[in-house]
Amino acid sequence: MTLVSPPTSGPEHRFRDLLDGFPAAVYTTDARGFVTFYNTAAEMLAGRTPQLGRDQWSVLWKMFDANGAPLPVEDCPMAITLRDGVAVRDVEILAERPDGSRVHLIPFPTPLRDGDGNLIGAVNMLVDITAVKRAEAALAQRADTQSALYRFTDRLHRAKSTTDVSEAALDAILIALRCHRASVLLFDEAGVMRFVGARGLSQQYRDAVTGHTPWTKDDLDAQPIIVTDVESSDLGDNLKSVLRAEGIGALGFFPLISGDRLIGKFMTYFDRPHPFAAEETDLALTIARQIGFALGRAQAEASLRASEERYRAVVEGHSDMIVRFRRDGVITFANAVYAKNRGSTPEALMGSVIWDLASLEYGDRVRAELSGLSEANREVRLEMQPPGRTNVWTLWTMRALSFGADGAWDEVQCTGVDITERKLAEQAIYRLSAIVEFSGDAIISKNLDGIIVSWNEGAERLLGYTADEIIGQPVTTLMFPEHQWQEQGILDRIRRGERIMPFETVRRRKDGSRIDVSLSVSPVRDSQGNIVGASKIARDISERKRADEQRTLLIHELNHRVKNTLATVQSLTMQTLRNTERSTEARALLDARLAALSRAHDLLTAHSWEGAGLRDIVHRALQPFRTSAERVVLAGPDVRLSPKQAVALSIALHELATNASKYGALSGEFGRVSVQWRIANQTLSLVWSESGGPLVETPTRTGFGTRLIERSLAHDLGGAARIQYLPGGVVAEISTSLGPALIGA
């Protein structure tokens, strides 16, 4: 087979030079499909140097369909175009470069025919949509992550044990962080780091690394440790060997903090080296804080139960801290626990004044509470924090032991119980309640009869009802009639203990409007574990829906504009080559016409392809002819044209100016051109008139420029066009319809 080389001169060479500077990947083939030309953008996109005359149908290395299945080159879109003689559109393919990287493409193969209609080859433009696909993947990943975090928060809210917290954490870690394996480890009472949950790890591995930790239990500033590549890390040889045997290529250590204590860690594992992005680490730390908070709450609740048992023992005569003092503040008794708490001994405290041991504010508060004691009200309780110790709480029960003749107490006994853990648990529960109450999502609960029993502010913002208006109403109030049948099925699944994964549906707002939501439903159980209702989380997905619609619209718009551009280039090329006998003339004409098209595209690109002003269009079209302001007069109101009208009018003005510079008013020194336009009844009327040039004779045959303006471009403008060859100069009249949004723009 003979290699096909591009010509070094002639109109085809000039045409290839122009396409070589085109920013999109373009290549051509002959009728048999062998590549005859490719531009620089095509070579860069393919990641290889195509072989002219050898590569058939495509310049790409390997191809796959949109689902990733291998696509034989003989079945590619270009091959179909050459086989069937038709353009192929609206197809996505996946191309692999020789270096293994892949790009998503939309091809636009179009057949080329000679003047007799015979198929002589095809031209293909490859549009890289990798960035769009990546954005779609990122959006899907973000949605998965958000969903995992919502489920995680819901499970933590209902977790009753360390095991519940660990299982919820492992699910969230694997989904949100997209790691291959994960584990949760906690310090035991002896300070040994042990597994409490793991996914995908062998027992041999867990036995080998139990007790390993990069931090001590007393480390108050533990930071994450990231190992992106086990083999190149500075981990010890023994640990590397264990990781290698388990097939772990990268891992991350993330500390679990409860209050101000390091209680454990969770681990992420990857089978291959893995670069941790900053967003990944931030998300892991967020999950770690939630796990630490939940574990602390579980431990606090357990401690609270123990504290309540101690409290019962106190009221039965077995106290934690006991101190007695007279009205003048002199201590008459203190047990060892109270003395130790004050950093002293019982003997040293006897005879001391209790007010001297407390700050002024602390003492004044106790005095105020004690002043209310009486024979009828002998006891008062007070929760207090020692000065300067905001993380310690004590419940003091102060009971008057005797009263004087004046009715005031003479001696009082104070029993103090440390309730720090209970307070922290209450605060944690309050914060969780606040999360529910002030969540941006609607969080609703209902009983097994489908009656709404709770309603947060997020639900009010989303659906419009206040809690007073909706609590006690059936949940079907929020459904349109066509969706109400779903409720019975949801309740049936809840009664069976099922959790419904998030699904998309529509709900009815108070004003009757529809809103798109993502809805998840979970059973609610009482303290005995019986299912008593359901909890629903509804998230507004209207913006995402609108974004999906906008993305689809943009892709269709891209397809439409590329199709129009290809059609225009193909028309100019075929018409120029068909109607021009001399190669030098063809090169100049094609060069000028493509340049005019390029200037119009530059102008539209500067305005984001939303249109362009008519005055700018005229200036751009006449710029190559170096006409002075005295020789060209423009007059007319401000008007903005659509992209299609701008391109069509730019080419029409270029043809008129080309004719004027060769034969008409601009061919001499004294000729003038007037371009005037007016708007009436939403119609733009533009008149090009020449004067002062050579005597004009009506041509014996209609040239390409005239046909282009009066037929093709008039059609593109959606109006009419007429050229008159008057003796005093050429006059062209062009009209096009304007939408209301363009007038006065």
Side-chain angles (χ1 to χ4, degrees):
M1 179 179 294
T2 302
L3 294 176
V4 179
S5 300
T8 58
S9 63
E12 186 178 355
H13 173 65
R14 183 58 176 166
F15 179 65
R16 292 169 182 267
D17 286 345
L18 290 171
L19 288 181
D20 194 53
F22 204 62
V26 177
Y27 70 93
T28 61
T29 70
D30 60 19
R32 296 176 302 167
F34 291 104
V35 175
T36 59
F37 169 79
Y38 60 88
N39 66 356
T40 301
E43 183 176 8
M44 294 177 64
L45 181 67
R48 61 184 291 265
T49 301
Q51 301 297 306
L52 296 177
R54 292 189 178 184
D55 285 354
Q56 192 173 21
W57 296 305
S58 177
V59 298
L60 301 173
W61 179 250
K62 293 180 181 178
M63 287 180 285
F64 305 84
D65 64 21
N67 296 319
L71 179 65
V73 68
E74 60 269 21
D75 294 333
C76 72
M78 184 60 128
I80 295 173
T81 290
L82 288 170
R83 185 185 66 219
D84 300 337
V86 296
V88 176
R89 297 293 185 264
D90 301 323
V91 173
E92 288 186 20
I93 64 172
L94 187 63
E96 181 175 307
R97 300 184 176 107
D99 64 1
S101 61
R102 291 187 174 187
V103 292
H104 292 268
L105 303 173
I106 297 181
F108 295 89
T110 304
L112 293 176
R113 302 180 184 276
D114 62 16
D116 297 325
N118 299 315
L119 183 70
I120 60 174
V123 59
N124 196 359
M125 177 183 291
L126 303 174
V127 178
D128 186 351
I129 60 169
T130 304
V132 174
K133 303 299 285 188
R134 287 175 178 166
E136 291 176 348
L139 183 62
Q141 179 176 347
R142 196 175 305 116
D144 288 345
T145 299
Q146 290 295 324
S147 178
L149 291 179
Y150 274 103
R151 292 196 300 271
F152 179 45
T153 302
D154 178 62
R155 291 179 66 182
L156 290 185
H157 182 67
R158 295 180 290 105
K160 297 182 180 300
S161 66
T162 298
T163 300
D164 292 342
V165 174
S166 174
E167 288 299 306
L170 291 172
D171 287 342
I173 292 167
L174 290 171
I175 296 174
L177 299 180
R178 296 180 178 268
C179 54
H180 301 125
R181 289 172 271 185
S183 64
V184 176
L185 302 92
L186 299 178
F187 286 114
D188 63 10
E189 294 181 358
V192 177
M193 188 78 81
R194 298 188 181 277
F195 286 87
V196 295
R199 298 283 175 81
L201 298 174
S202 67
Q203 188 61 49
Q204 292 85 348
Y205 172 81
R206 283 182 279 176
D207 292 340
V209 299
T210 292
H212 176 271
T213 172
W215 318 287
T216 66
K217 190 175 182 180
D218 298 325
D219 194 338
L220 300 180
D221 190 30
Q223 297 298 319
I225 297 176
I226 305 299
V227 180
T228 59
D229 187 348
V230 168
E231 292 300 330
S232 62
S233 70
D234 56 359
L235 296 174
D237 292 338
N238 291 338
L239 183 55
K240 278 188 177 181
S241 176
V242 173
L243 295 171
R244 191 181 299 116
E246 190 70 3
I248 296 172
L251 67 162
F253 301 72
F254 298 94
L256 300 178
I257 307 296
S258 177
D260 57 355
R261 297 184 301 117
L262 176 67
I263 62 173
K265 66 180 178 180
F266 82 75
M267 304 284 298
T268 59
Y269 309 88
F270 295 84
D271 296 342
R272 297 173 296 279
H274 176 78
F276 285 72
E279 296 82 2
E280 217 172 348
T281 303
D282 291 342
L283 179 58
L285 288 174
T286 299
I287 294 175
R289 284 192 289 270
Q290 292 279 20
I291 297 172
F293 177 82
L295 289 171
R297 186 196 68 183
Q299 294 171 353
E301 289 176 345
S303 298
L304 177 59
R305 288 190 291 271
S307 178
E308 290 172 343
E309 292 174 0
R310 288 196 299 270
Y311 177 74
R312 285 193 295 271
V314 168
V315 298
E316 293 169 359
H318 302 281
S319 62
D320 282 346
M321 292 184 291
I322 299 177
V323 62
R324 296 176 187 166
F325 54 90
R326 299 194 303 261
R327 194 189 306 181
D328 58 8
V330 174
I331 295 175
T332 58
F333 171 81
N335 69 353
V337 178
Y338 178 85
K340 182 179 180 180
N341 183 269
R342 292 294 183 264
S344 184
T345 64
E347 294 77 15
L349 289 177
M350 293 297 294
S352 299
V353 177
I354 195 168
W355 313 122
D356 296 338
L357 304 178
S359 67
L360 181 62
E361 178 184 359
Y362 195 92
D364 287 346
R365 187 177 176 191
V366 173
R367 285 191 184 96
E369 294 293 334
L370 292 175
S371 65
L373 293 177
S374 65
E375 291 283 357
N377 183 25
R378 301 178 66 93
E379 185 177 284
V380 65
R381 294 183 179 182
L382 182 63
E383 293 181 356
M384 300 191 68
Q385 291 178 283
R389 302 181 65 187
T390 57
N391 61 339
V392 175
W393 288 85
T394 304
L395 172 63
W396 288 101
T397 301
M398 297 177 286
R399 183 174 182 81
L401 300 178
S402 61
F403 291 86
D406 58 359
W409 62 273
D410 274 341
E411 187 178 18
V412 70
Q413 175 174 298
C414 297
T415 303
V417 178
D418 183 358
I419 58 168
T420 301
E421 292 180 343
R422 193 197 80 191
K423 293 295 291 185
L424 292 176
E426 290 175 351
Q427 292 172 358
I429 293 172
Y430 173 78
R431 285 193 293 269
L432 283 176
S433 299
I435 289 173
V436 171
E437 184 60 29
F438 300 109
S439 170
D441 293 333
I443 301 178
I444 307 165
S445 63
K446 62 184 179 183
N447 61 24
L448 293 180
D449 294 324
I451 303 301
I452 297 172
V453 296
S454 73
W455 185 266
N456 73 339
E457 291 187 6
E460 181 175 342
R461 288 191 297 270
L462 187 69
L463 298 168
Y465 291 95
T466 65
D468 290 340
E469 291 174 324
I470 200 66
I471 290 178
Q473 299 298 319
V475 75
T476 51
T477 303
L478 308 175
M479 299 180 180
F480 288 96
E482 62 267 27
H483 296 130
Q484 291 182 1
W485 62 271
Q486 299 174 349
E487 177 61 11
Q488 188 57 50
I490 291 174
L491 287 175
D492 289 343
R493 294 180 63 182
I494 291 298
R495 290 187 180 100
R496 293 195 298 268
E498 297 182 27
R499 294 186 69 250
I500 304 173
M501 300 308 286
F503 64 96
E504 295 183 5
T505 185
V506 175
R507 285 296 177 260
R508 180 184 180 277
R509 303 185 79 253
K510 180 181 178 181
D511 60 8
S513 61
R514 303 168 70 92
I515 183 169
D516 292 302
V517 297
S518 174
L519 189 65
S520 60
V521 189
S522 303
V524 173
R525 302 176 185 271
D526 60 16
S527 58
Q528 285 76 42
N530 301 314
I531 296 175
V532 296
S535 172
K536 292 187 174 184
I537 300 178
R539 185 189 312 162
D540 184 357
I541 58 172
S542 302
E543 289 297 326
R544 197 199 75 197
K545 287 284 191 181
R546 283 191 285 270
D548 289 344
E549 293 171 359
Q550 183 66 18
R551 180 184 62 80
T552 301
L553 180 64
L554 289 175
I555 289 178
H556 288 320
E557 181 65 17
L558 172 63
N559 287 337
H560 176 70
R561 290 181 178 173
V562 170
K563 290 177 183 177
N564 287 344
T565 299
L566 281 174
T568 302
V569 171
Q570 185 180 16
S571 175
L572 289 176
T573 302
M574 300 306 295
Q575 290 287 349
T576 299
L577 295 177
R578 180 185 299 131
N579 292 277
T580 307
E581 298 178 357
R582 293 173 296 174
S583 61
T584 55
E585 181 183 358
R587 179 176 63 189
L589 286 173
L590 184 58
D591 186 5
R593 286 165 178 163
L594 289 178
L597 178 62
S598 176
R599 286 190 297 275
H601 276 230
D602 287 343
L603 180 60
L604 289 169
T605 299
H607 292 82
S608 302
W609 277 85
E610 296 177 352
L614 177 55
R615 191 173 295 271
D616 287 340
I617 294 171
V618 177
H619 276 300
R620 290 285 181 114
L622 299 182
Q623 183 180 6
F625 303 93
R626 296 183 174 86
T627 54
S628 63
E630 294 77 13
R631 300 190 65 187
V632 177
V633 177
L634 308 181
D638 289 339
V639 60
R640 192 173 185 84
L641 301 184
S642 69
K644 186 174 183 180
Q645 292 171 323
V647 171
L649 190 58
S650 293
I651 295 175
L653 292 171
H654 169 79
E655 294 298 323
L656 290 170
T658 298
N659 185 72
S661 64
K662 287 183 177 181
Y663 314 109
L666 299 182
S667 64
E669 298 181 1
F670 305 106
R672 297 168 62 87
V673 173
S674 170
V675 183
Q676 301 185 35
W677 62 89
R678 62 187 181 85
I679 300 172
N681 299 323
Q682 296 186 1
T683 298
L684 168 68
S685 298
L686 181 145
V687 178
W688 167 289
S689 59
E690 302 178 20
S691 62
L695 184 64
V696 176
E697 296 182 359
T698 302
T700 58
R701 64 184 182 88
T702 302
F704 169 64
T706 301
R707 292 197 304 273
L708 181 68
I709 294 173
E710 292 185 337
R711 299 176 188 174
S712 301
L713 298 182
H715 177 269
D716 290 343
L717 287 168
R722 184 180 64 163
I723 300 178
Q724 302 179 67
Y725 295 92
L726 304 179
V730 172
V731 175
E733 299 176 351
I734 300 173
S735 65
T736 181
S737 298
L738 299 174
L742 297 175
I743 299 176

